Amino acid sequence: MKILVIGAGGREHALAWKLSESAGVEEVYVSPGSLAMTDVASVIPAQNDMDYVELAKELNIDLTVAGPETVLVDGLADKFAEAGLPFFGPSAKAARIEGSKTFAKNFMKKYHIPTAGYEAFTDEKDAIQYVKEQNYPLVIKADGLAAGKGVIIAQNEEAAVDAIHNMMAGLAFNGAGKQIVIEEFMSGEEASILAFCDGKNVVPMLSSQDHKRIGNNDTGANTGGMGAYAPAPIITDALSETIYQQILKPVVDAMQAEGHPFIGCLYAGLMITEDGPKVVEFNCRFGDPETEAVLPLLDGDLANIMMSCVQGTLNEKDVTWKNGYAVDIVLATNGYPEAHSKDDKIEGIKQAENLGCHVFHAGTTLKDDGFYTSGGRVLNVVACGSTLEESRKKAYEGVSKIYWEGMQYRSDIAMKGIARLKNRKKNC
Ligand code: AMP
Ligand code: GLY
């Protein structure tokens, strides 16, 4: 089997690596990829007006896998379907579950999927009138894709009005906020569930937990994600069952009933509240950095599982997982997420790999004398172990080998999970 992975970040590096381990896979291509990915794949750099359908035909690709949401929301799966080529990822209609917050919230309301109460607005004055009568904090969300930056948690009316104005006047997020959703604030701990979907069946992967804020103890600005671990102890077996019955299965059933079956990876971002799990957001693709922690624990054959999603035979597949845990530490540049420095020489990647860590590249360039930083998030250092503590220790040992001027990372990745496991032991 020949596989094409679309995308260029740490998530795609992890996907390409795991797919390259599948028994039936003879070649993995990544486009646009990055030169770091040549360890597991052939890289096809970006060209102007890249036509992925033509590329897949030229390379005789058996299965194309989309990483980022943008191509899915723009209808790449539909183009592959028209050409009769196998594609892992939802159609544009199904991808609205991520592409439009208004669509996602209305969909959840219609199908009784637990989420925060909300109102959707297309008129700035109406929105401002609404927030005068609400309790705070209040969450203001741009409707469209905003690269993880379209959510403002307003602590008071003044902040809410500011956020509404910035979004609705099209000043922020490239106009993604011309429509907005205003929703109630949910308290609790967050967790992520990624799930394989074949349009009819849904099989959850191991649970995981992202760390969205830049600083330790979840302080500072929101980022694309500063680290993750899997499985997340907060998701007990009983909660997994609730999430399957109340959230994942209803989404896949409803999408099918509405004529837009969801094929690909469904990502449920959840708040585990006192009243049970509630949806913070859905994504229509693998999460980043969760994927880098979840895939190393997959025991099954990723290419086969993905192919069964495309063929509608996921119910015939066993999706099995290794015992133990994985921890993923994101290394970012100075100034991220506001701005980021680049072109700093990175030292020590090989030494971290020699300790048994995976190093997935999110933003690097390769020069004659080695790798240099090129993005805000630069590397994911991932380690597996039989306990969460062991995986964490090994991942940070890997991190300690890596250096560049201004490198920043969180030193508390997975601590919430470790504390929960300790408490559970104490109470037993
Ligand atoms: P989103 O892009 O919708 O995932 O939101 C980004 C982050 O904002 C989430 O990971 C949460 O930490 C936070 N957030 C979003 N919606 C809510 C909500 N209704 N209540 C509390 N926090 C939220
Ligand atoms: N980890 C958050 C996301 O992938 O959107």
Side-chain angles (χ1 to χ4, degrees), residues 16-38:
W17 161 73
K18 192 66 191 175
L19 286 163
S20 75
E21 303 237 302
S22 286
V25 170
E26 66 195 85
E27 178 119 43
V28 179
Y29 296 87
V30 191
S31 182
S34 79
L35 289 177
M37 300 182 191
T38 53

Side-chain angles (χ1 to χ4, degrees), residues 36-55:
M37 300 182 191
T38 53
D39 61 344
V40 291
S42 302
V43 174
I44 320 264
Q47 285 153 22
N48 281 342
D49 296 327
M50 182 69 113
D51 183 335
Y52 285 116
V53 172
E54 283 310 311
L55 183 66

Side-chain angles (χ1 to χ4, degrees), residues 6 11 13 17 21 33 58 93 121 156 230 275 316 324:
I6 295 172
R11 166 183 54 202
H13 196 183
W17 161 73
E21 303 237 302
E58 266 166 42
K93 287 258 166 72
F121 295 92
N156 52 45
D275 304 327
E316 294 164 20

Side-chain angles (χ1 to χ4, degrees), residues 117-303:
Y118 74 102
E119 289 291 332
F121 295 92
T122 50
D123 183 89
E124 190 178 330
K125 276 200 226 87
D126 292 347
I128 289 175
Q129 187 53 42
Y130 176 79
V131 299
K132 287 187 194 306
E133 295 141 22
Q134 301 306 309
N135 295 325
Y136 287 84
L138 199 57
V139 184
I140 323 273
K141 297 186 173 183
D143 180 72
L145 293 181
K149 299 188 182 99
V151 175
I152 303 285
I153 298 179
Q155 298 297 339
N156 52 45
E157 188 183 319
E158 192 188 347
V161 170
D162 252 14
I164 292 167
H165 181 67
N166 277 342
M167 284 183 192
M168 297 197 89
L171 302 176
F173 320 126
N174 297 325
K178 286 197 174 118
Q179 275 194 59
I180 61 166
V181 164
I182 302 182
E183 66 179 37
E184 72 185 10
F185 180 82
M186 297 183 284
S187 296
E189 196 175 316
E190 286 181 74
S192 310
I193 304 287
L194 317 182
F196 293 110
C197 303
D198 73 354
K200 310 181 287 283
N201 304 289
V202 52
V203 176
M205 300 181 213
L206 286 183
S207 60
S208 52
Q209 190 173 58
D210 190 1
H211 297 64
K212 290 207 165 120
R213 306 293 198 92
I214 188 72
N216 282 348
N217 302 316
D218 300 328
T219 52
N222 245 325
T223 70
M226 293 301 292
Y229 63 95
I234 188 168
I235 306 297
T236 57
D237 289 349
L239 260 179
S240 289
E241 184 56 25
T242 307
I243 292 163
Y244 178 82
Q245 296 295 348
Q246 296 186 0
I247 297 171
L248 300 174
K249 189 78 175 91
V251 169
V252 171
D253 287 348
M255 284 278 179
Q256 189 188 13
E258 296 208 348
H260 314 299
F262 193 100
I263 294 164
C265 175
L266 176 66
Y267 168 128
L270 304 172
M271 189 71 79
I272 310 305
T273 72
E274 281 180 354
D275 304 327
K278 293 189 181 180
V279 175
V280 176
E281 63 163 350
F282 283 118
N283 291 324
C284 64
R285 38 81 192 168
F286 281 91
D288 195 351
E290 291 94 328
T291 303
E292 292 91 315
V294 169
L295 287 185
L297 296 170
L298 178 64
D299 203 23
D301 182 309
L302 183 60

